[in-house]
Structure formats: C-alpha cells, structure tokens
Amino acid sequence: MKFFRILSGALIIICCAFTLLYGRYKIVESGVDTTPENYKGVITIWQIDSFEGGIGSRKQYLLKVARAFEKKYQGVLVMVINQTPEGVINAYKNGQIPDLISYGTGTEIKGCEQILTDRKVSGGMVGDTCYATAWCRGGYVLLTNPNLTANLDIKDKNIEKVLVSQGEFTQPLTSFILEGYRASEIEILDPMSAYIKFTSGKVSHFLATQRDICRLINRGMEFNVIPLENYNDLYQYISITSLNVQKRFYAQQFVNYLVSDSVQESLSLIGMYSPYVNVEYSETQHQLMQKVKSNINVSAFTSTITLKEMQRLSTLAVKGDENALNKIKNMCIMS
C-alpha cells in the first residue's frame, strides 16, 4: 500500500510539472489562453469600406473607439489603416496580416479565428462557430417622391419603374424582391449618380440606403421612407486574424468593447445602426431604419463571383423570373 501511495504521489507531481512547464505553452499555442502576460505593443486593424456608410468616416469612428480602449489596457495601442478589397489581396500576397479586419461582404479575407461573443449575426457564422461579428449596419430602403406618388397606393408592390443605387457588391434588388416588390423597369446606377438623379425631382421610386437618407436630410428635400425589412447585407463585420496569441487576446477584448452597449449606442455619430441595441435618433427616417430586424442575409465570406451572380439574377427576378428568384434564395442564409 505504501508503494502505491508513493507511486500516486509521484504521478501527481509529474502531472503538475508537465502542466506548468509544457502544458501551458500548448494552451497558448491553441489560442485559448485567457491570461497572457501583459502585452505592450500595437494591435493593427484594417478598415475596408465595401459599401457606403452614413455620415463621416468609419475609420475615424474606430480610432475614437480605439483611444477609449487604450485607456482600459495601458500599453496596448490600436492602429487603424484604410484598405480596399483589392488591397487586402495584394497585402496577403506580400505576407501582411493584421490583427483585426473590419469589412463588408465583397472583401475576401482568410485566417479568421473564432470570436467568443454573444453578439452575433447570421452572416458571420460558419455552422455554430462565429468567425465574424457585425459592429454596425446600414439598410435598404424604398424612398418615394411625395410630389409624384401622392395618388398612388403605397401598399401596391408592383411598381412601374424604380431607380436603384447599387455598389460594387451590394444587393439592393435582392432586398427589393424578397420584400415582395416587382418592377416593370429598373435603372441601376452607382450610388452618387442615383442620388443626384433622384434629387432632380423626376423620379418617383428610389431603391436606396441609409447613406441616401443622410444626404437627403442634409439637403432638406422632402421624401417618404419605406424600410425593407426582410433582407440586409449592409453589415460592417470585424474578424480576428492575428497570428500572435497575446495580440489575439487583446483583439478579442477590442471586439467585445466595440459591440458593447456604450459603444453601440454612439453609432449615430456616423449615421449607422446597431444590430443589437437601440440607437437614438431625432429623425423619424433613422428611427424607422433602426427598428428593422432583418432575418435574411448572405455570408460575410461570400465570394465576389457569387455576389456578382446575385446581382445578375436579381435583375431577372425583379421582373418575375421565378427560377432566378429560387437561385437567389438558395444563396441566402436565414437567421
């Protein structure tokens, strides 16, 4: 019996020593160490604008959040760098990898780490695992000119002609058709050209975004708002991509801070909305958009080829092509 007690004690000592001297490094290598030594250095964020925002700069907003974050973690600095979807590809080729990436659909990123958060949107999930979470959102909206639509039934979803503001990767017509709308004629323009044409006063229906609401409010033009509630892909995501374990820890803390109530409630500074909390606006148009809770989206990791195909199919579906509509539905995800 004495022998077994000695043997058991020796095994316990060996296990403890293994954990302290070797096991803890394996924990660090796995990326799940939650108590790293105090890190002193720079966390890098790439900011990509793949769709129009509201007002101001998303980069400047992230810098403002970063300054507050740095006060919480002395010695940790956060650097925010503007990038483009094309620039990300070239940077990868040159071996450049940031610690965090803030982006929208149409940005093909790689090397995402799991994010531990309760604040998730369907587009950032792969199965049950979160690899991207949204820190702000926009939304699609049907704007009408009251001088040209006063005698029309606003509940009628069959529209003669609609002007469409479409970015390189955005899907306004998908939002339009999944809301039940159809149009006999569509005119697709880039966002600024579409906005200018609507302000001419000769367009009755304008398929737009939160950016156009901000522009029209500043212009003082009268317009009516019909938020499109079913589909939305205008999410600004953030993903952790750091190769360094200690940086990953602080990158996770930054994500947690970015989606916290206090930060989310300040999104009115950039004319955007929160997926999680109510952002207070004095303007009725923004209040209506903040209330929207869309349940259809596309993955944040959808390829640019697929996004372009969705745009093509949506131009067919809006005129009643059921086969094109079914293909679009198969590309979408439900929350």
Side-chain angles (χ1 to χ4, degrees):
M1 292 295 293
K2 184 176 181 181
F3 171 78
F4 286 111
R5 285 199 299 271
I6 295 172
L7 179 60
S8 298
L11 287 174
I12 291 171
I13 293 171
I14 291 171
C15 289
C16 291
F18 180 88
T19 300
L20 289 172
L21 299 176
Y22 178 76
R24 70 186 182 98
Y25 294 109
K26 294 307 291 180
I27 293 173
V28 169
E29 289 172 12
S30 72
V32 296
D33 182 18
T34 59
T35 56
E37 297 176 6
N38 290 332
Y39 172 74
K40 307 292 183 183
V42 179
I43 303 296
T44 303
I45 303 175
W46 287 352
Q47 165 60 33
I48 298 99
D49 293 338
S50 60
F51 64 92
E52 286 196 309
I55 56 176
S57 163
R58 274 164 281 181
K59 176 188 175 183
Q60 292 303 316
Y61 181 82
L62 285 176
L63 282 170
K64 181 178 181 296
V65 174
R67 298 296 83 84
F69 178 80
E70 290 169 352
K71 293 177 181 178
K72 293 168 63 69
Y73 297 95
Q74 295 296 320
V76 178
L77 301 177
V78 180
M79 180 169 59
V80 184
I81 301 170
N82 271 335
Q83 272 284 15
T84 64
E86 298 78 15
V88 169
I89 294 172
N90 292 330
Y92 281 151
K93 290 179 180 178
N94 294 327
Q96 301 173 35
I97 299 175
D99 302 303
L100 291 157
I101 302 184
S102 167
Y103 60 101
T105 53
T107 306
E108 298 189 355
I109 67 171
K110 60 182 181 181
C112 297
E113 296 287 332
Q114 180 180 1
I115 297 175
L116 304 177
T117 180
D118 292 329
R119 294 199 152 167
K120 309 167 187 176
V121 296
S122 59
M125 304 294 291
V126 178
D128 294 328
T129 304
C130 178
Y131 289 102
T133 193
W135 65 266
C136 71
R137 67 169 179 85
Y140 295 110
V141 60
L142 185 63
L143 305 180
T144 62
N145 184 331
N147 296 325
L148 302 177
T149 59
N151 298 323
L152 297 179
D153 181 1
I154 62 171
K155 295 182 180 180
D156 186 359
K157 293 191 174 183
N158 293 303
I159 298 171
E160 183 177 344
K161 181 176 180 179
V162 63
L163 172 66
V164 182
S165 170
Q166 182 172 282
E168 185 174 4
F169 304 114
T170 62
Q171 308 294 329
L173 283 172
T174 293
S175 183
F176 187 74
I177 60 179
L178 291 180
E179 202 74 17
Y181 285 96
R182 298 294 182 270
S184 301
E185 185 179 351
I186 57 174
E187 181 179 8
I188 301 174
L189 297 176
D190 66 87
M192 180 54 74
S193 298
Y195 162 74
I196 291 172
K197 185 155 188 174
F198 183 67
T199 59
S200 70
K202 299 178 181 179
V203 175
S204 62
H205 293 81
F206 179 27
L207 179 50
T209 72
Q210 77 291 330
R211 178 62 176 135
D212 300 292
I213 290 176
C214 293
R215 287 180 175 133
L216 291 167
I217 288 174
N218 289 337
R219 187 184 182 92
M221 181 176 173
E222 188 178 357
F223 62 99
N224 294 326
V225 170
I226 305 173
L228 303 184
E229 301 186 358
N230 291 329
Y231 172 92
N232 187 20
D233 56 63
L234 301 180
Y235 291 92
Q236 189 74 26
Y237 293 99
I238 191 162
S239 288
I240 299 171
T241 55
S242 180
L243 299 178
N244 179 283
V245 171
Q246 287 184 314
K247 287 189 173 187
R248 280 204 297 270
F249 173 82
Y250 288 103
Q252 174 70 65
Q253 303 315 304
F254 184 83
V255 172
N256 292 342
Y257 183 62
L258 186 60
V259 299
S260 66
D261 285 1
S262 61
V263 176
Q264 290 289 294
E265 288 167 357
S266 70
L267 285 170
S268 57
L269 294 172
I270 53 172
M272 298 294 282
Y273 317 116
S274 171
Y276 317 111
V277 304
N278 182 60
V279 179
E280 293 188 5
Y281 280 97
S282 58
E283 302 89 352
T284 302
Q285 299 94 331
H286 285 305
Q287 292 172 4
L288 290 172
M289 295 295 285
Q290 174 59 65
K291 290 179 181 178
V292 171
K293 303 294 182 185
S294 303
N295 62 353
I296 309 175
N297 194 1
V298 290
S299 171
F301 312 109
T302 303
S303 70
T304 56
I305 294 174
T306 300
L307 293 173
K308 289 295 184 183
E309 177 64 4
M310 283 186 72
Q311 289 179 339
R312 185 189 72 83
L313 290 169
S314 67
T315 62
L316 301 174
V318 74
K319 295 182 179 180
D321 188 325
E322 289 297 321
N323 184 49
L325 176 59
N326 288 332
K327 288 182 179 179
I328 288 173
K329 289 179 177 178
N330 288 334
M331 296 175 178
C332 295
I333 54 177
M334 302 288 291
S335 60

